[in-house]
Amino acid sequence: MADGLQTFDHAVRGRFNAWFFVAFDRYIERIARPLKRTAFDDLAADRVVEIGPGIGANLRYLPAGAQLVAVEPNLRMHPALERRCARAGVPLTLLPSYADRLPLPDRSVDEVICSLVLCTVPDPDAVLREVVRVLRPGGRFRFVEHVAAPPGSLRLRMQHALDVPWAWLFEGCDLHRDTAAAIEHAGFADTTIVEVQLRGSVFYPVNTMICGIARR
Ligand SMILES: C[S@@+](CC[C@H](N)C(=O)[O-])C[C@H]1O[C@@H](n2cnc3c(N)ncnc32)[C@H](O)[C@@H]1O
């Protein structure tokens, strides 16, 4: 990332990704709902910071009346996110920024959420450091992520084989990160992480998922 760069625009790929996440929103919601409910169900804040909200797949998990502070550097996601927030009546503060340097003060936030983002950010450790920095003591980071498949599995071999085209198509998405270890080592007071092998989803390479809550 160049210094001072706050947003990106991959033109056709960006448009494809915005279309993809709108088109598959209901399908992804159906397969990921148990994980999202585990992570997001008891969200309790009148202001929720979301890293990489994309087109707003997690608006349905915000508590009634909550404001969304959306840290989203991808310009192609903004129109759908703004439209869906307006439709859902969710007050939106859109921060067109990389999460590697959150434009938020230290210890100023009670709830940070993300889904399918730590796979894509260039430096997940830097993002997690920022999450720890902005959370108040006792504040929570809630996440749902796809991760590396179990060692020796067919899925892990496929994740490695698809590495380059997948990352190109999905704007940097890395199929085989050890995101659970990154969260465990990020400096939270405690973390609860559950790993799930999804069955019956057509998105086979990303069917090893984690969800959980880390407390500052
Ligand atoms: C796979 S999409 C997931 C979108 C949404 N969270 C969902 O679950 O549908 C990854 C998102 O992360 C965003 N992203 C990529 N790099 C980022 C960064 N450095 N900081 C914050 N968000 C980033 C992308 O723009 C995109 O919206």
Side-chain angles (χ1 to χ4, degrees):
M1 186 199 342
D3 237 25
L5 184 60
Q6 298 296 310
T7 60
F8 65 85
D9 181 352
H10 293 151
V12 176
R13 271 186 303 146
R15 275 209 299 278
F16 166 77
N17 274 270
W19 169 84
F20 178 92
F21 284 100
V22 170
F24 285 94
D25 179 51
R26 288 204 181 140
Y27 182 76
I28 296 171
E29 170 59 18
R30 187 159 60 75
I31 59 177
R33 186 179 298 137
L35 291 95
K36 289 197 174 183
R37 294 192 72 161
T38 300
F40 302 151
D41 249 10
D42 61 338
L43 258 171
D46 51 14
R47 190 175 73 122
V48 174
V49 173
E50 180 164 6
I51 294 171
I55 55 95
N58 298 322
L59 293 178
R60 44 175 74 85
Y61 291 95
L62 296 184
Q67 177 201 352
L68 177 67
V69 177
V71 181
E72 179 52 76
N74 188 343
L75 294 176
R76 299 287 170 168
M77 299 289 183
H78 291 181
L81 178 62
E82 288 169 330
R83 214 168 34 243
R84 289 163 63 109
C85 281
R87 210 185 300 144
V90 172
L92 170 68
T93 302
L94 181 49
L95 302 177
S97 178
Y98 286 87
D100 324 42
R101 258 175 282 159
L102 290 172
L104 295 165
D106 296 358
R107 299 173 173 227
S108 61
V109 177
D110 292 310
E111 298 275 11
V112 178
I113 67 171
C114 74
S115 66
L116 314 181
V117 171
L118 294 175
C119 52
T120 299
V121 298
D123 185 348
D125 294 331
V127 171
L128 289 165
R129 270 197 302 277
E130 282 292 90
V131 171
V132 172
R133 178 182 69 75
V134 302
L135 278 173
R136 291 198 181 96
R140 282 167 299 191
F141 172 51
R142 300 159 180 275
F143 49 88
V144 175
E145 293 288 332
H146 68 80
V147 297
S153 64
L154 171 65
R155 187 178 297 146
L156 184 61
R157 286 204 295 282
M158 185 183 272
Q159 288 179 335
H160 281 278
L162 288 175
D163 234 0
V164 173
W166 187 280
W168 183 83
L169 185 60
F170 290 108
E171 301 186 288
C173 176
D174 182 340
L175 282 169
H176 46 78
R177 284 191 178 164
D178 187 354
T179 301
I183 294 169
E184 270 158 3
H185 295 120
F188 292 101
D190 59 66
T191 59
T192 306
I193 304 179
V194 180
E195 183 173 303
V196 175
Q197 310 296 327
L198 295 181
R199 314 242 171 258
S201 153
V202 296
F203 301 120
Y204 182 78
V206 294
N207 281 357
T208 301
M209 299 197 64
I210 59 167
C211 62
I213 303 178
R215 199 171 51 82
R216 162 83 149 88

